[in-house]
Amino acid sequence: MGIAELLDGVAGSGEFGVWLGRLDGVPVFQHGAERTHYSASTMKLPVAMAMLRKVDAGELALDQPVTVHNDFASAAGGRFGVNPAEDEAPATWTKLGEQVPLGWLATEMITRSSNLATDLVLELVGIDAANAVLAEYGSGLSAIRRGIDDAAAQAAGISNEMSAADLAAVLVAVGNDPAAGYVRDLLAANTWNGEIPAGVPAGTRVEHKNGWDTRIRHDGGVVRPDDAEPFVLTMCTTSELPDTEAQKLIAAVAAEAWEHRHDLETVR
C-alpha cells in the first residue's frame, strides 16, 4: 500500500502532513506538508540546535552547572511551572534544587523528551534564539513562541507551531552540518520509538524527534540504512485517531518509505 493510499484511509479524521526526501532537501513526496500543527515536543530540536550554536560560540558550555527549578517567565507575562503529571521523563524532577550539567539537561530533553529539562535549556538559550533556528531553515510559518506548559500564553493564543516541511528542513540542516554531530547522536538515542523507528528494521539508525499531546502525534527523522542513502521523513498529525493508531500510521508510512529506499522517487 502506498503512502497516498494510507492517507486516503484516514481522510476525514484529521489533518496529516508528510514530507519525504533525501538529505539534499528535495522532496519526493509531500502531502499537506506546509500546514502547521501544534508542535508538541518537535520544538525541542530547534532548541537543541540553538543551544549547540551558543556552545560553539562560547556563550554556553555543556559542562556548565544549571540549577534545576520549576519557575519560568511566561510569554504572556507572569510566571508558570511545568506540570509534572504531564511530563513522562521523571529524572529531571529528582534533581529539583540541585545543579546538573547543561549537557545532561540536553540529553534528557531529546532522548527522554523531558518538558522540565526543555524549559531549563530554553531559559538559557532564549526563545528568540530557538525560533531563529526554525526561521532560518523553515518557511516562516512554523514558530517557537513559548515554553512548554506555559498555560497563560496558551490561553492568550501564543502557541508553538510546526509543519512537516519545516521540521524536515531543520533535519536536513542538522543532517548536513558537520558541527551538529552532538545533536544527531542525541536524536539517535531517542528512547521513544513508536513511530518512524517502528516502521524500519530494528537496529537501523534513526535520528528523530517526536512529539505528542491530545490529538497530536508527530515524528520526524533522518533514517540511515546500511544499504542505501539516508532519507528524511516527517509526519505531523492532528486527528481524532486513537493515539496508538496515529503511531501505527506513521510507522506504516516509514515502512513504505523504507521499501523504496533504493529508489525513493518511486514512492507514491
Side-chain angles (χ1 to χ4, degrees):
M1 181 181 292
I3 296 176
E5 291 178 275
L6 289 168
L7 295 170
D8 285 344
V10 295
S13 60
E15 298 289 341
F16 303 90
V18 178
W19 191 101
L20 174 64
R22 296 204 187 274
L23 278 175
D24 60 5
V26 178
V28 301
F29 182 94
Q30 294 187 86
H31 173 95
E34 300 296 335
R35 183 197 184 279
T36 59
H37 303 247
Y38 171 58
S39 69
S41 291
T42 61
M43 55 83 75
K44 296 170 184 177
L45 174 55
V47 172
M49 283 300 293
M51 181 201 72
L52 185 62
R53 287 182 174 184
K54 286 184 177 283
V55 169
D56 289 343
E59 298 175 36
L60 296 173
L62 292 176
D63 62 354
Q64 76 179 67
V66 181
T67 301
V68 177
H69 58 272
N70 188 26
D71 179 67
F72 304 97
S74 170
R79 312 290 295 181
F80 76 96
V82 176
N83 182 354
E86 295 184 0
D87 194 346
E88 297 175 84
T92 312
W93 292 93
T94 69
K95 306 293 186 180
L96 279 171
E98 300 178 20
Q99 289 189 328
V100 298
L102 174 60
W104 186 87
L105 289 172
T107 299
E108 287 296 303
M109 174 177 71
I110 298 297
T111 67
R112 304 284 182 178
S113 208
S114 166
N115 292 341
L116 180 57
T118 299
D119 282 348
L120 288 164
V121 175
L122 185 60
E123 184 176 58
L124 286 172
V125 168
I127 289 174
D128 289 345
N131 188 57
V133 171
L134 187 53
E136 177 179 345
Y137 300 117
S139 65
L141 298 175
S142 301
I144 298 173
R145 302 184 178 96
R146 62 171 174 84
I148 294 178
D149 276 354
D150 185 347
Q154 183 178 9
I158 302 170
S159 186
N160 298 326
E161 298 180 79
M162 185 72 75
S163 71
D166 289 344
L167 180 55
V170 177
L171 286 163
V172 166
V174 172
N176 284 310
D177 186 351
Y182 174 80
V183 172
R184 289 194 295 272
D185 287 345
L186 289 181
L187 296 172
N190 191 342
T191 58
W192 299 99
N193 293 312
E195 299 88 22
I196 293 174
V200 303
T204 302
R205 182 177 171 98
V206 183
E207 300 159 4
H208 75 115
K209 186 69 200 82
N210 39 8
W212 56 93
D213 203 336
T214 303
R215 300 183 67 240
I216 299 291
R217 179 59 68 167
H218 310 322
D219 198 11
V222 179
V223 181
R224 296 186 182 272
D226 291 334
D227 60 350
E229 293 180 25
F231 63 87
V232 179
L233 172 63
T234 62
M235 187 163 180
C236 296
T237 78
T238 304
S239 76
E240 300 304 325
L241 294 178
D243 191 53
T244 55
E245 293 303 310
Q247 287 184 289
K248 289 177 181 178
L249 177 63
I250 298 174
V253 170
E256 185 66 20
W258 177 268
E259 288 301 313
H260 293 266
R261 66 192 182 281
H262 297 297
D263 192 3
L264 207 61
E265 288 72 19
T266 61
V267 166
R268 295 290 181 266

